[in-house]
Amino acid sequence: MQRRSFVSPLLSGVFCQCRSEEYQGSYPGASGMRTTSMHSALSSEHFSEHGDEPSASLHSCETCGGPDQEHRLKVLFQILDVNGDGGICVNDLTIGLRKLGVHRTQHELRKIVKAGDKDLDGQLDFEEFVHYLRDHEKKLRLVFKSLDKKNDGRIDSQEIMQSLRDLGVHISEQQAEKILKSMDKNGTMTIDWNEWRDYHLLHPADNIPEIILYWKHSTIFDVGESLMVPDEFTAEEKDTGMWWRHLVAGGGAGAVSRTCTAPLDRLKVLMQVLASRSNTMCIAGGFSQMIREGGVRSLWRGNGINVLKIAPESAIKFMAYEQIKRVIGSNQETLGILERLVAGSLAGVIAQSSIYPMEVLKTRLALGKTGQYSGIMDCGKRILQKEGLAAFYKGYIPNMLGIIPYAGIDLAVYETLKNSWLQRFATDSADPGVFVLLACGTMSSTCGQLASYPLALVRTRMQAQAATLDGGPQMTMSGLFRHILRTEGATGLYRGLAPNFMKVIPAVSISYVVYENLKATLGVQSR
């Protein structure tokens, strides 16, 4: 992850650390490091080159005698404001930073302008520029503190490896040293606060901060399944209430994607329950049968309850996940992969247990004939009167058992793909881009579904037994497994797999587009 450019002396020590109460005396020997950085912050040649007054007449910091923070920022702003119009746009940043020997991609520069542009005029005025730098430095301090495991004011290769390992990213010591060398100016093979800040100051994010931001939220895209491990949110997102906006945006995206792929979902249920060796049902034949029986509108039968259960399930799963994290006793913001699997699976069990009757209603409505039920309430009332309360928990055991292989395979495949991408392609940036994230999420989810599909099929058949057998004897989970293997073979456990997989890519794509638009509407910061 080494970067070719050096840090200009002008960028070094833009913020006067003498005035920083938060970091004053935080680390042994910190004052000596600060003085060196501040006295080299603005050399006289920088001012003479840009027509400013010599360094002797600058506004001075009372503590260290160097140029004060306000003046440093004004000079830096003037240099970056190439066309002198009082605002810094992407083009200004490109030319200005190149003059200072700092190289950033157009994507990175656009992110800087977007992050600081409060009035949405496409450029940063001086006030926005200062606000962006100060806000960015606060975030850099938080990341620095989280990486500094020994609390000695320096980050070494072992601390970088440990921090990435906590995120499920495994790198070698040589790779960790490469990261260090890109920021280490004095050859000590450790990074102090000044080196960390100077390297990242006019960069939206890099290395470890990028990995945290880009890879943390990996399961927001809805594929119509309810077994995913919940998302983790930063302390800042929880404090500011940004987490619930993410959940609302994710829920809205899930509702739209499920509605768009509902015909495939209903076809999957029909194939799982009604298809057999003697009654083969192809995709085209299944759609024709549904339209012939109830018209085009019948393709969406059962979708209403499928959308309604998103909100309570997401909320319960998130709350349960946060509580389980506390019980586990982890004081880390991001759990390791095994802890995520345990906490996520338990949260899934709690959430699914709470909304499971809605799963049964969805299956019964999807299998129902035209006019059989007048709506969700009517369906629920009839099941309760005819079969009792226990009917709402038919198929509960295979559903709960399916959570573990789904979540385990989904997480394992995602982590493997993520690490593979980072090892091969994360040379200058750890930003994988939209398509890589979507591909990793789609592939991991597909593998998870493949592993848990037989249990999902048995669950659906158990939910439907009373409706399809008309009062006949109903089989247990193990009995149903044996019956399917005996009468239909191993392939019988994968009935309906084709329409299930057909809906994954459109569901992920639709949910991503809707999610991004809802985030913008709700004022959620882009990651």
Side-chain angles (χ1 to χ4, degrees):
M1 296 188 185
Q2 195 163 355
R3 194 173 291 277
R4 292 186 296 275
S5 64
F6 63 92
V7 176
S8 164
L10 186 63
L11 296 183
S12 178
V14 163
F15 292 97
C16 179
Q17 294 305 307
C18 295
R19 302 253 178 120
S20 173
E21 293 179 9
E22 184 182 351
Y23 249 68
Q24 181 73 29
S26 292
Y27 300 122
S31 58
M33 292 187 289
R34 287 197 303 268
T35 305
T36 305
S37 175
M38 286 183 298
H39 282 301
S40 66
L42 291 167
S43 60
S44 58
E45 66 237 38
H46 279 297
F47 288 99
S48 57
E49 181 186 342
H50 296 283
D52 288 289
E53 49 191 14
S55 56
S57 61
L58 295 180
H59 306 285
S60 298
C61 169
E62 295 173 5
T63 308
C64 69
D68 73 4
Q69 183 172 306
E70 184 78 9
H71 196 86
R72 294 166 196 253
L73 291 170
K74 279 181 181 174
V75 172
L76 182 57
F77 183 82
Q78 287 167 7
I79 292 168
L80 295 177
D81 181 15
V82 175
N83 56 12
D85 64 350
I88 299 173
C89 62
V90 172
N91 189 52
D92 288 337
L93 278 178
T94 305
I95 299 167
L97 288 176
R98 196 178 295 139
K99 282 183 184 176
L100 298 173
V102 179
H103 301 281
R104 300 287 182 248
T105 66
Q106 286 294 302
H107 174 66
E108 291 165 344
L109 296 177
R110 279 195 294 270
K111 283 179 70 176
I112 290 173
V113 173
K114 186 178 178 182
D117 185 15
K118 301 299 180 189
D119 57 9
L120 303 177
D121 62 352
Q123 60 180 9
L124 306 179
D125 58 32
F126 181 66
E127 189 179 333
E128 289 172 332
F129 178 68
V130 171
H131 185 272
Y132 167 77
L133 286 181
R134 286 179 176 155
D135 188 53
H136 191 52
E137 193 195 21
K138 283 178 189 173
K139 292 174 183 174
L140 289 177
R141 276 189 179 148
L142 290 172
V143 176
F144 185 85
K145 284 181 175 180
S146 71
L147 296 176
D148 183 17
K149 306 285 185 189
K150 298 172 190 170
N151 202 31
D152 61 356
R154 293 181 175 275
I155 301 169
D156 58 31
S157 58
Q158 292 299 319
E159 287 171 320
I160 287 176
M161 288 171 70
Q162 181 59 50
S163 298
L164 288 174
R165 202 174 294 124
D166 292 342
L167 292 169
V169 179
H170 299 276
I171 61 171
S172 64
E173 191 163 357
Q174 288 78 11
Q175 288 173 309
E177 287 173 359
K178 262 189 182 181
I179 296 172
L180 269 177
K181 282 177 184 174
S182 66
M183 293 178 262
D184 181 24
K185 292 188 289 187
N186 54 16
T188 59
M189 288 306 291
T190 59
I191 309 161
D192 61 33
W193 160 243
N194 291 321
E195 289 171 322
W196 174 264
R197 179 206 59 217
D198 292 348
Y199 184 79
H200 293 288
L201 187 61
L202 275 170
H203 195 289
D206 200 22
N207 294 333
I208 295 158
E210 269 187 348
I211 292 169
I212 293 169
L213 288 170
Y214 289 123
W215 292 99
K216 180 174 281 188
H217 290 263
S218 59
T219 61
I220 199 71
F221 310 121
D222 187 89
V223 291
E225 297 297 322
S226 310
L227 309 177
M228 286 182 166
V229 174
D231 292 317
E232 293 185 272
F233 295 101
T234 63
E236 185 185 2
E237 285 170 326
K238 290 172 190 170
D239 291 342
T240 58
M242 199 61 73
W243 64 271
W244 70 262
R245 298 187 193 186
H246 277 286
L247 289 183
V248 169
V256 174
S257 71
R258 289 187 188 194
T259 301
C260 292
T261 58
L264 284 166
D265 196 55
R266 188 182 178 214
L267 178 62
K268 177 192 77 172
V269 173
L270 290 174
M271 290 175 78
Q272 283 179 330
V273 176
L274 303 177
S276 63
R277 276 180 177 168
S278 58
N279 178 29
T280 55
M281 184 185 288
C282 64
I283 291 169
F287 277 125
S288 298
Q289 185 179 318
M290 284 190 286
I291 293 170
R292 203 164 46 244
E293 189 274 326
V296 175
R297 191 178 172 186
S298 69
L299 296 175
W300 278 266
R301 195 170 291 158
N303 181 60
I305 192 77
N306 198 28
V307 168
L308 280 174
K309 68 188 177 72
I310 293 174
E313 185 180 17
S314 299
I316 293 166
K317 192 188 290 183
F318 171 70
M319 298 300 180
Y321 187 66
E322 290 300 310
Q323 293 303 316
I324 292 163
K325 276 171 68 175
R326 290 193 182 94
V327 171
I328 288 174
S330 174
N331 57 1
Q332 296 187 28
E333 199 170 275
T334 306
L335 298 181
I337 185 167
L338 286 176
E339 289 173 316
R340 280 196 80 194
L341 176 59
V342 171
S345 297
L346 287 173
V349 168
I350 293 168
Q352 283 277 290
S353 299
S354 304
I355 59 95
Y356 192 76
M358 298 173 86
E359 294 276 3
V360 175
L361 284 170
K362 176 208 157 191
T363 300
R364 294 293 182 90
L365 285 165
L367 291 168
K369 300 277 193 292
T370 302
Q372 185 174 351
Y373 305 112
S374 61
I376 296 168
M377 295 300 290
D378 180 53
C379 179
K381 196 163 79 172
R382 290 198 193 191
I383 292 171
L384 187 63
Q385 289 172 347
K386 190 177 177 183
E387 304 167 53
L389 195 61
F392 288 105
Y393 281 88
K394 288 192 182 296
Y396 176 79
I397 293 173
N399 187 71
M400 294 303 122
L401 292 175
I403 289 174
I404 297 169
Y406 184 99
I409 299 292
D410 183 30
L411 271 177
V413 172
Y414 186 84
E415 295 295 321
T416 303
L417 293 172
K418 174 177 76 174
N419 281 316
S420 177
W421 189 91
L422 287 167
Q423 297 275 4
R424 290 192 181 187
F425 304 110
T427 51
D428 287 330
S429 170
D431 179 2
V434 171
F435 292 111
V436 174
L437 281 177
L438 289 178
C440 290
T442 303
M443 201 171 293
S444 62
S445 174
T446 301
C447 292
Q449 288 185 63
L450 195 60
S452 63
Y453 195 83
L455 285 162
L457 181 133
V458 169
R459 172 203 68 193
T460 306
R461 288 207 181 178
M462 289 180 76
Q463 289 172 343
Q465 275 188 115
T468 54
L469 294 176
D470 293 325
Q474 296 180 27
M475 285 181 270
T476 61
M477 181 182 77
S478 57
L480 199 50
F481 261 115
R482 286 195 297 270
H483 175 74
I484 293 169
L485 288 171
R486 188 173 62 251
T487 58
E488 303 175 51
T491 55
L493 293 171
Y494 289 90
R495 300 271 179 208
L497 190 64
N500 187 63
F501 280 175
M502 281 173 66
K503 73 181 177 131
V504 170
I505 292 175
V508 169
S509 305
I510 292 164
S511 66
Y512 172 75
V513 172
V514 177
Y515 178 63
E516 287 299 311
N517 280 286
L518 282 174
K519 277 204 310 181
T521 305
L522 293 167
V524 179
Q525 293 175 351
S526 292
R527 300 183 172 280

